[in-house]
Amino acid sequence: RHWLENVLQCSPAYVGQLGPRERTERLLDEMGALARLPESLTRLHYPIGLDLGGDTPASVALAIVGEITAYLNERSGGMLKYRKTTIHQACEPAHSPAVGGLQAKMEA
């Protein structure tokens, strides 16, 4: 509870909590009103991870990294076969410094 309470006060972009939903709910209740602020709950993800179906340490780690990646990229983490739009947004190579620099090196 100590660490969760302190990290929520720092306003991080993302906080993931391992363990059962009920335990995190109990911790939030013990912390009081600060933990129940909408901006705190928006950043807090519990239980952390995508539903990949595995329970080995490697599967749990993959599920957690997958969720964090999806969140930071503003995606749901769903299966691509069900996606109705393109996977990547179209962009001009000249607009991307990384791609533009790579393209210039390749042309040299």
Side-chain angles (χ1 to χ4, degrees), residues 12-30:
Y14 182 97
V15 177
Q17 178 74 19
L18 283 171
R21 182 181 316 276
E22 297 78 22
R23 183 185 67 158
T24 301
E25 291 288 335
R26 180 179 46 80
L27 293 173
L28 292 171
D29 288 342
E30 291 172 5

Side-chain angles (χ1 to χ4, degrees), residues 4-16 24 28 31-46 71:
L4 182 58
E5 187 171 19
N6 281 292
V7 77
L8 287 177
Q9 291 178 20
C10 296
S11 301
Y14 182 97
V15 177
T24 301
L28 292 171
M31 289 190 295
L34 174 65
R36 295 293 182 175
L37 292 174
E39 56 270 16
S40 293
L41 294 177
T42 300
R43 294 186 303 266
L44 179 59
H45 300 263
Y46 65 96
Y71 178 81

